[in-house]
Each structure stands twice: as structure tokens, then as C-alpha cells.
Amino acid sequence: MNSAARQLNELIEIARDGQRFYQQAVYEVSDPRLQELFEFMIRAKTAVIDALSSQVAASNETLAAAGTLLGRLRQVYAETRASLASDEEALCVAQLEEAEDRILLAFEDALHDGTPETRALLRAEFPKVRACHDQLSQLKHSLG
């Protein structure tokens, strides 16, 4: 696998982790506004994943099929913490913000270290990633 496809696949896996967290979060919160926001975030992650996946497919490389092991471990950890927490919504938002931090950092690193053929695509998708991150950060601070 070439380095560009490897890098894009890593970003796809990290974005899928975030997407899965939001899919779970939709069912964990009772506030319809949060559910609506989380559904929006799922669609945003799906759009980023689709764009990156198209580039990998166009290069005739194997597409990442799942998220990361770290993402699965974080999900189990978050589920365990949520079962013990008194304020599930605040905890859920805090966990989602951590996922957004991870996605943002991965994209920033890829923009810095990426191959020339991936940088243009990453620059096009980065505003979506940044907007999701900023929106969750604002939400977390408004709840805490």
C-alpha cells in the first residue's frame, strides 16, 4: 500500500471511531437538541469518510474497513464510565470532545506530514473537521 493510501486509511479509521461514538451517543442522551447535533456530526463524519475513501479507491488501494483498536477501547471505557456517572449527557459530550480532539490532531498531522497528493484533499475536508471540533468544544464548555 502506498503511503498516501495508508495515511488516508488511518484518517478514515479515526473518523469512523468518531462516527461510532456519535451513533452510540444519540441513544445515550435524552435531550432532542443533543440528539439532533449528534446526528449532524454523524453526517459530517460520513461525508469526510466518503471523500477520503473515494481517494483511496481511485488509487486502487485497499480501503480501511473498520475503526481503530484505540477507538474501540475508548468506546468500552466511555460506556463503563457512563454506567457509573450521574450526569450522562455531560460525560457523553466530554468523551465526544476527546474523540474530536483526536480527529483534529490526526488531520493537522496529516496536513503537515502528508504527501502532496493528499494535502489538497485534506485541506478541502479540514474545515468540516475543525467545525465539528469547535462545535463540540463550545457545547462542552456551555455544559460545564
Side-chain angles (χ1 to χ4, degrees), residues 16-27:
R16 279 197 180 124
D17 289 344
Q19 182 185 47
R20 259 198 326 268
F21 283 151
Y22 283 109
Q23 289 167 337
Q24 179 183 348
V26 165
Y27 298 104

Side-chain angles (χ1 to χ4, degrees), residues 76-88 91:
V76 169
Y77 173 71
E79 289 169 1
T80 303
R81 280 185 65 188
S83 69
L84 302 172
S86 60
D87 187 356
E88 288 184 36
L91 179 62

Side-chain angles (χ1 to χ4, degrees), residues 71-125:
R72 284 186 221 110
L73 292 173
R74 283 181 174 212
Q75 186 171 5
V76 169
Y77 173 71
E79 289 169 1
T80 303
R81 280 185 65 188
S83 69
L84 302 172
S86 60
D87 187 356
E88 288 184 36
E89 289 182 352
L91 179 62
C92 184
V93 169
Q95 293 292 327
L96 290 169
E97 188 197 27
E98 287 178 19
E100 288 297 335
D101 288 344
R102 184 172 175 234
I103 294 167
L104 182 66
L105 181 62
F107 266 79
E108 288 172 342
D109 288 348
L111 277 166
H112 182 264
D113 301 331
T115 63
E117 59 263 18
T118 62
R119 284 189 187 133
L121 173 61
L122 297 177
R123 277 193 294 274
E125 296 303 311

Side-chain angles (χ1 to χ4, degrees), residues 28-98:
E28 289 182 8
V29 299
S30 57
D31 184 335
R33 293 173 297 145
L34 288 178
Q35 289 173 335
E36 184 178 325
L37 173 63
F38 296 166
E39 290 285 351
F40 172 81
M41 296 296 204
I42 292 167
R43 289 189 300 275
K45 298 289 176 270
T46 300
V48 169
I49 292 166
D50 290 348
L52 300 181
S53 297
S54 294
Q55 182 70 27
V56 173
S59 65
N60 294 319
E61 295 287 350
T62 304
L63 184 62
T68 65
L69 176 60
L70 178 60
R72 284 186 221 110
L73 292 173
R74 283 181 174 212
Q75 186 171 5
V76 169
Y77 173 71
E79 289 169 1
T80 303
R81 280 185 65 188
S83 69
L84 302 172
S86 60
D87 187 356
E88 288 184 36
E89 289 182 352
L91 179 62
C92 184
V93 169
Q95 293 292 327
L96 290 169
E97 188 197 27
E98 287 178 19

Side-chain angles (χ1 to χ4, degrees), residues 4-19:
R6 188 175 311 108
Q7 184 178 54
L8 291 174
N9 271 329
E10 288 173 11
L11 293 172
I12 290 166
E13 289 174 338
I14 292 168
R16 279 197 180 124
D17 289 344
Q19 182 185 47

